[in-house]
């Protein structure tokens, strides 16, 4: 049996500040979920913390300097990649507790060093802002909003081509799940052949059926395995309001559980990360309870 290893990746380097002079609270995600007893409930090994550099937007110029915190984020990506690479190489199942979505860069860089992997990208947004579509998506800046673009090699080289390994994930090896039905990135995804399934289609087909279709592709012989990216904003704000972009029309908790469980149970799944939940927006910790319960349900299946 694979060993689940819990690793804290409390980086908020890729997310815009919620207000001038403040920092994003998603860096507290890991602590909030551990406070729910997640290590014990998963029966996981302690994987420690990958400590991020300081969040600092001093001197950054939007529209001129690319992504903010980029040097710090590149350094952090290398550190996190080494941790993921080591754990996956040893047959473990790392669960990274973020942080914002930019921690996925570290996961996929570590996997890229080991072979060819896919990504099941469960997120409320397409996260496909890149230099080629700024007229639609707006200026670069927050790496957390550029996740699918960056892991597929689009964006500044210091983040997308570390060690000359661009792209970390090929277009055809990504499955984007749970974006809102009106997400602006769908047209470009279709042109590029990036698989994507919005909420409405998940409901029409059923979450479990959708997951099985994704597995048919991600378990293909061309891949050494796949990674799950889980952004808490894939959930509807009625059940998960404690995120930076709580857009309506998301999945409900049971729908997400049915979608996630078959993916996480696959022997080809190499690990997963959890991002964007912000304890500062959730004084009663309801979101932490929800996420801890969800992870226990899908990661301790018999």
């Amino acid at each position: 049996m694979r060993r689940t290893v819990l690793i804290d990746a409390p980086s908020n380097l890729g997310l815009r500040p919620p207000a001038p002079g403040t920092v994003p609270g998603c860096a507290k995600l890991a602590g909030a979920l551990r406070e729910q007893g997640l290590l014990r409930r998963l029966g996981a090994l302690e994987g420690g913390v990958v400590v991020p550099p300081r969040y600092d937007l001093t001197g950054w110029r939007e529209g001129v300097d690319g992504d903010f915190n980029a040097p710090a984020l590149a350094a952090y990506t290398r550190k996190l990649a080494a941790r993921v690479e080591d754990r996956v190489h040893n047959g473990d199942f790392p669960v990274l507790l973020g942080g914002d979505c930019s921690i996925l860069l570290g996961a996929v860089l570590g996997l890229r060093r080991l072979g060819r992997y896919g990504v099941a990208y469960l997120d409320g947004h397409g996260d496909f802002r890149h230099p080629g579509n700024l007229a639609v998506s707006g200026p670069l800046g927050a790496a957390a909003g550029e996740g699918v673009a960056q892991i597929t090699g689009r964006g500044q080289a210091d983040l997308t081509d570390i060690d000359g390994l661009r792209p970390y994930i090929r277009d055809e090896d990504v499955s984007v799940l749970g974006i809102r039905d009106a997400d602006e990135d769908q047209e470009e995804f279709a042109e590029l052949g990036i698989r994507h399934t919005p909420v409405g289609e998940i409901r029409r087909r059923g979450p479990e059926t959708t997951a099985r279709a994704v597995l048919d592709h991600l378990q293909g012989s061309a891949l050494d395995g796949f990674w799950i990216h889980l952004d808490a904003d894939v959930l509807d704000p009625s059940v998960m309001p404690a995120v930076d972009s709580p857009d309506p029309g998301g999945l409900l908790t049971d729908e997400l559980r049915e979608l996630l469980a078959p993916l996480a149970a696959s022997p080809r799944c190499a690990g997963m990360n959890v991002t964007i939940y912000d304890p500062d927006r959730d004084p009663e910790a309801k979101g932490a309870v929800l996420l801890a319960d969800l992870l226990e349900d899908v990661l301790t299946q018999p």
Side-chain angles (χ1 to χ4, degrees):
M1 293 181 61
R2 64 187 181 185
R3 304 179 301 174
T4 300
V5 181
L6 208 60
I7 301 171
D8 291 5
S11 170
N12 56 9
L13 296 171
L15 202 62
R16 292 183 183 275
T22 65
V23 297
C26 62
K28 301 175 183 178
L29 181 157
L33 266 61
R34 284 180 176 267
E35 195 169 50
Q36 298 299 318
L38 188 61
L39 184 74
R40 171 187 53 79
R41 291 166 66 178
L42 296 183
L45 299 178
E46 176 57 73
V49 183
V50 182
V51 179
R54 181 170 177 259
Y55 185 97
D56 185 3
L57 271 60
T58 303
W60 174 74
R61 299 165 298 171
E62 186 170 41
V64 177
D65 295 333
D67 288 340
F68 52 73
N69 288 323
L73 183 52
Y76 190 69
T77 295
R78 287 186 170 90
K79 287 176 60 177
L80 191 54
R83 189 76 62 95
V84 170
E85 179 186 8
D86 178 65
R87 287 297 185 177
V88 174
H89 177 73
N90 288 327
D92 295 334
F93 185 88
V95 176
L96 307 185
L97 302 178
D100 68 63
C101 296
S102 66
I103 68 169
L104 179 61
L105 281 169
V108 296
L109 175 59
L111 295 173
R112 177 69 176 84
R113 291 170 176 169
L114 294 171
R116 179 178 170 183
Y117 284 79
V119 169
Y121 198 92
L122 281 66
D123 199 299
H125 308 92
D127 291 348
F128 205 60
R129 187 188 310 115
H130 62 83
N133 66 11
L134 299 186
V136 175
S137 299
L140 300 172
E146 302 161 16
V148 176
Q150 290 187 337
I151 66 173
T152 56
R154 297 168 174 89
Q156 59 198 73
D158 57 345
L159 297 178
T160 64
D161 195 26
I162 294 173
D163 299 339
L165 292 175
R166 178 176 18 210
Y168 310 135
I169 306 292
R170 303 184 192 188
D171 287 355
E172 62 267 31
D173 297 338
V174 180
S175 289
V176 180
L177 301 164
I179 53 176
R180 304 308 191 247
D181 289 351
D183 190 278
E184 64 185 14
D185 293 320
Q186 292 184 81
E187 182 176 351
E188 193 170 4
F189 284 159
E191 293 172 356
L192 295 167
I194 295 176
R195 289 172 172 81
H196 58 286
T197 312
V199 171
E201 187 175 347
I202 292 172
R203 287 188 173 136
R204 286 191 295 273
R205 299 171 62 185
E208 186 172 354
T209 299
T210 300
R212 297 297 176 193
V214 171
L215 286 172
D216 285 345
H217 176 66
L218 292 180
Q219 294 182 143
S221 59
L223 296 176
D224 295 297
F226 68 92
W227 184 269
I228 297 172
H229 164 79
L230 174 60
D231 182 329
D233 71 19
V234 75
L235 287 162
D236 191 81
S238 64
V239 294
M240 178 55 74
V243 297
D244 66 301
S245 297
D247 295 328
L251 295 172
L252 300 178
T253 307
D254 287 344
E255 293 172 325
L256 178 56
R257 183 181 294 106
E258 291 176 27
L259 179 66
L260 185 58
L263 299 173
S266 169
R268 301 292 295 281
C269 184
M272 69 180 295
N273 61 259
V274 185
T275 63
I276 292 299
Y277 165 65
D278 186 344
D280 286 348
R281 303 171 186 263
D282 186 23
E284 296 182 1
K286 293 180 179 178
V289 171
L290 185 157
L291 289 173
D293 288 349
L294 177 69
L295 291 172
E296 182 180 14
D297 287 347
V298 302
L299 295 178
T300 61
Q301 300 176 75

